């Protein structure tokens, strides 16, 4: 009980509140850019859904905006910008569950606000939602989203690992690049979300939650697997030997 109380108190400290605000701002920037790029493509090219150039534009917008969003918040909140990343960090024990919940709330509200702003400022232009083709199953789409999110969260872990040195600018770029590459690989199939917040905001404002579970189940499982694999198998924390701790 004392431990739970301590964690709750830790989740409402001034530093914690600043981290929630940082997550809100960075997620807002990311969702505004990614959803906005899709809306712009469809405005300029009526058949943007089948135009390969639109896929490239969306992937570039995703990569650049995510790199910027991570960079501006990395030293404050860790630069999650994504409930799946937050979930992976919680599974790995890097943040507490109460803090993770507040991160989720900040990210989801930011996504909804960004999509609402796009809808209002573009004179009620349709806000696109993530979806899957009729010939694709929900299971297959979940697996695809899970694999992509695994790659994203694994890269987040590697880029932010202090054992590899300071994060610098290359870390956010690596995270942005893998996200953009995943969009190129899966855009026609699932939209390349990897981010439940982006999918939730666009679904709520766009008015369609069809197959929405795909964009939660897959990313959360992929994120958890990446966290467990990186921290416990590929790059585990080295515990000093008994002789070393005794000074022998």
């Amino acid at each position: 009980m004392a431990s739970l109380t301590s964690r709750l108190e830790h989740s409402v400290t001034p530093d914690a509140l600043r981290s929630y605000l940082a997550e809100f701002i960075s997620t807002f920037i990311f969702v505004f850019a990614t959803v906005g790029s899709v809306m712009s493509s469809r405005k300029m090219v009526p058949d943007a859904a089948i135009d390969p150039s639109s896929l490239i534009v969306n992937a570039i917008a995703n990569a650049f905006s995510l790199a910027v969003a991570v960079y501006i918040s990395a030293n404050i909140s860790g630069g999650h910008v994504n409930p799946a990343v937050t979930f992976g960090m919680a599974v790995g024990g890097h943040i507490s569950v109460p803090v993770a919940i507040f991160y989720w709330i900040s990210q989801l509200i930011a996504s909804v606000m960004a999509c609402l702003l796009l809808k209002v400022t573009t004179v009620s232009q349709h806000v696109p939602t993530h979806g899957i083709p009729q010939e694709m199953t929900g299971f297959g789409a979940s697996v695809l989203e899970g694999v992509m999110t695994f790659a994203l969260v694994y890269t987040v872990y590697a880029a932010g690992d202090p054992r590899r040195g300071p994060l610098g600018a290359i870390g956010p770029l690596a995270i942005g690049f893998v996200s953009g590459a995943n969009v190129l690989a899966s855009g026609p199939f699932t939209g390349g979300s990897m981010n439940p917040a982006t999918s939730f905001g666009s679904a709520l404002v766009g008015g369609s939650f069809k197959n929405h579970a795909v964009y939660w189940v897959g990313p959360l499982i992929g994120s958890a697997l990446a966290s467990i694999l990186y921290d416990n198998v590929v790059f585990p924390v080295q515990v000093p030997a008994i002789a070393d701790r005794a000074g022998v």
Side-chain angles (χ1 to χ4, degrees):
M1 185 65 182
S3 176
L4 177 60
T5 302
S6 175
R7 290 184 178 183
L8 288 174
E9 291 177 350
H10 175 71
S11 67
V12 292
T13 62
D15 285 342
L17 296 177
R18 280 193 289 271
S19 68
Y20 307 149
L21 178 60
E23 281 297 307
F24 176 89
I25 293 172
S26 58
T27 305
F28 182 94
I29 291 172
F30 172 71
V31 174
F32 183 86
T34 54
V35 177
S37 69
V38 177
M39 294 174 68
S40 296
S41 296
R42 295 185 178 182
K43 180 69 174 178
M44 296 174 64
V45 183
D47 295 328
I50 58 174
D51 186 352
S53 64
S54 296
L55 176 62
I56 296 173
V57 168
N58 297 337
I60 292 174
N62 187 291
F64 285 0
S65 61
L66 182 58
V68 170
V70 171
Y71 182 78
I72 63 176
S73 60
N75 293 329
I76 305 171
S77 65
H80 294 187
V81 201
N82 185 336
V85 173
T86 299
F87 183 74
M89 291 296 173
V91 169
H94 297 279
I95 61 173
S96 67
V97 172
V99 169
I101 291 173
F102 282 117
Y103 269 41
W104 273 29
I105 293 172
S106 300
Q107 293 157 352
L108 293 174
I109 292 176
S111 177
V112 172
M113 294 297 292
C115 292
L116 277 174
L117 181 62
L118 285 167
K119 186 175 182 65
V120 171
T121 56
T122 57
V123 195
S124 297
Q125 184 178 343
H126 176 67
V127 174
T129 60
H130 288 118
I132 62 177
Q134 291 184 349
E135 65 273 14
M136 193 170 190
T137 65
F139 176 77
S142 296
V143 171
L144 190 56
E145 283 289 321
V147 170
M148 292 188 299
T149 308
F150 175 92
L152 174 63
V153 175
Y154 192 89
T155 303
V156 169
Y157 262 86
D161 193 335
R163 292 171 291 179
R164 295 175 178 267
L167 180 65
I170 191 64
L173 283 175
I175 294 169
F177 285 164
V178 73
S179 181
N182 282 339
V183 171
L184 288 174
S186 67
F189 306 109
T190 66
S193 173
M194 299 165 280
N195 190 325
T198 304
S199 298
F200 176 80
S202 60
L204 184 64
V205 177
S208 175
F209 281 91
K210 185 177 181 180
N211 295 313
H212 187 65
V214 164
Y215 302 100
W216 285 89
V217 175
L220 294 185
I221 293 176
S223 174
L225 290 176
S227 172
I228 294 170
L229 188 64
Y230 186 89
D231 269 347
N232 298 281
V233 180
V234 179
F235 209 166
V237 176
Q238 299 297 322
V239 179
I242 296 176
D244 293 337
R245 284 181 288 178
V248 177

